Amino acid sequence: INSLLRIMKEKLTLWGVEHKLMRRVYSVLVESMENVSKHGIPLQRRLSTPLSRARRGIFILSYEGAGFCITTGNYIKNSLELELSKKIERLKTLDNSVLKELYRKRLLGTQEEVLPDDPDDDGAGVGILDIAIKTDKNFEHAFVPIDDKISMFIMNIRININ
């Protein structure tokens, strides 16, 4: 992840992105990549190698006239789709001041479950809260079924220049 983030930061600098916008884009990049690497599940392969147990995902950064678009994807268990979708949809209904307060409380560890999380979760929620705040909730999600147990979770995040 660090190598990819370094490359993205260099690209943003080369493109002449204003410093404040670059910090916002970079922060969303970090959270997005961490979500893919921490919460994706590895696909099982016939061969048992370290690569076969790797968490796989996709990552795309593009520039559109009004701003940047970050698209990520990772494999998740189908059983988690409904809960994750509910969490995201609930986040999108909250006022930004409420999101910021929830974010602060989660960072300080003073808030019990802000939103329902997976029991094995090690702090998920902070990343998606940060993305929601920094993008003014300008993101969408979808699930693409792979088989009866696994789907690809896709997030399309927009960061406007203004």
Side-chain angles (χ1 to χ4, degrees), residues 145-160:
I146 302 299
D147 61 27
D148 62 334
K149 294 179 183 164
I150 296 173
S151 288
M152 174 69 81
F153 169 63
I154 306 285
M155 272 193 76
N156 192 23
I157 305 163
R158 296 193 184 282
I159 304 169
N160 294 328

Side-chain angles (χ1 to χ4, degrees), residues 124-149:
V126 172
I128 193 72
L129 283 167
D130 195 30
I131 289 169
I133 292 164
K134 290 200 167 71
T135 65
D136 196 27
K137 300 174 280 194
N138 194 2
F139 58 90
E140 300 159 354
H141 72 285
F143 300 94
V144 179
I146 302 299
D147 61 27
D148 62 334
K149 294 179 183 164

